[in-house]
Amino acid sequence: MSKKLFLRAGAIAAASTLVLAGAAGSASAHVTVSSPDAKPGGYAKLIFRVPTESDDTLTTKLVVSLPKDTPFAHVGAQVKDGWKVEKTTEKLAAPVKVGDVTLSEAITSVTWTALKGGIPANDFDEFALSVGRLPDKVDSLSFPAVQTYSDGEVVKWDAAPPASGGEEPEHPAPTLKLAAAIVPVAATTNEDKDSSDPLARILGGAGLLLGLIGLGLGLRKPAAKVQS
């Protein structure tokens, strides 16, 4: 009986693992954005991962929209073999100051178009941008994307991310979380400690003196008595 229960528990665990794996695979099939070095106020490499969610068509085009309210002063697009890349520049509704630069126009979208073929069915590819400066007063940025398939189907990844605990939309916009910049803590030198705490120096010196006196007394041995 115990053996049957063991086998049944193993089967249930295996089935649960497959269900979870399927759910994770479904979630990871979205168009997403990530970065190895993004932080507020800095420059970053943005990586867009694009899966072809189809069994018989290819992804032939990707359009990524960039923020207009917090535009980038610099946008560099990855050049990929077999793909044509184009940048679209637009005039901003009002000038925006980015670092030491004031922008009246900015690159608002980047388009990659397959010259031949594309991303095969059930496969994925990655497209990168080098951008900066990132805004320093936001904790995330959204990059709505449009994916075109070889059969003419167009999928818009532009839904706003859900509120905390909310259900994820079917086609969420790629969203990048910005890590806070780490401010280094200046090391305190011994000189700083000595100059800032004279009492500690006095007490330390007194303790050392008392220790030396105690050591000297301990080393003294009484003279041996001579028996008559």
Side-chain angles (χ1 to χ4, degrees):
M1 179 64 68
S2 60
K3 184 176 180 180
K4 290 183 178 179
L5 290 176
F6 178 78
L7 292 175
R8 182 177 297 178
I12 293 173
S16 301
T17 301
L18 289 175
V19 170
L20 292 175
S26 176
S28 64
H30 299 329
V31 173
T32 59
V33 61
S34 62
S35 175
D37 54 2
K39 62 181 180 181
Y43 288 79
K45 177 181 180 180
L46 309 181
I47 303 172
F48 295 87
R49 176 168 293 190
V50 182
T52 295
E53 297 179 289
S54 172
D55 293 329
D56 53 10
T57 58
L58 297 82
T59 294
T60 57
K61 186 177 181 180
L62 174 70
V63 181
V64 174
S65 295
L66 307 180
K68 293 182 181 180
D69 51 346
T70 55
F72 301 125
H74 165 78
V75 178
Q78 178 186 16
V79 178
K80 294 173 62 70
D81 290 340
W83 294 80
K84 179 179 68 174
V85 61
E86 297 176 290
K87 304 174 188 177
T88 299
T89 301
E90 293 183 21
K91 185 176 179 61
L92 301 175
V96 178
K97 188 172 179 61
V98 181
D100 298 330
V101 179
T102 299
L103 302 178
S104 58
E105 60 179 23
I107 296 173
T108 56
S109 69
V110 179
T111 302
W112 286 273
T113 305
L115 299 175
K116 183 178 180 181
I119 305 174
N122 297 313
D123 285 339
F124 75 92
D125 202 348
E126 293 180 339
F127 302 80
L129 292 175
S130 174
V131 302
R133 297 180 178 264
L134 298 176
D136 56 9
K137 294 183 179 180
V138 300
D139 57 6
S140 65
L141 291 172
S142 290
F143 300 88
V146 179
Q147 181 180 13
T148 301
Y149 287 88
S150 56
D151 61 357
E153 180 185 2
V154 175
V155 179
K156 295 182 178 181
W157 301 92
D158 57 1
S164 179
E167 184 178 355
E168 185 181 50
E170 184 178 2
H171 298 107
T175 301
L176 178 70
K177 297 287 186 181
L178 297 181
I182 299 176
V183 179
V185 179
T188 304
T189 63
N190 291 332
E191 182 180 353
D192 293 336
K193 290 181 180 179
D194 292 341
S195 62
S196 62
D197 195 358
L199 179 59
R201 286 189 295 153
I202 295 172
L203 293 176
L208 178 60
L209 179 60
L210 290 175
L212 291 174
I213 292 173
L215 179 61
L217 292 175
L219 292 175
R220 292 182 59 187
K221 295 182 180 180
K225 293 183 179 179
V226 179
Q227 297 181 354
S228 56

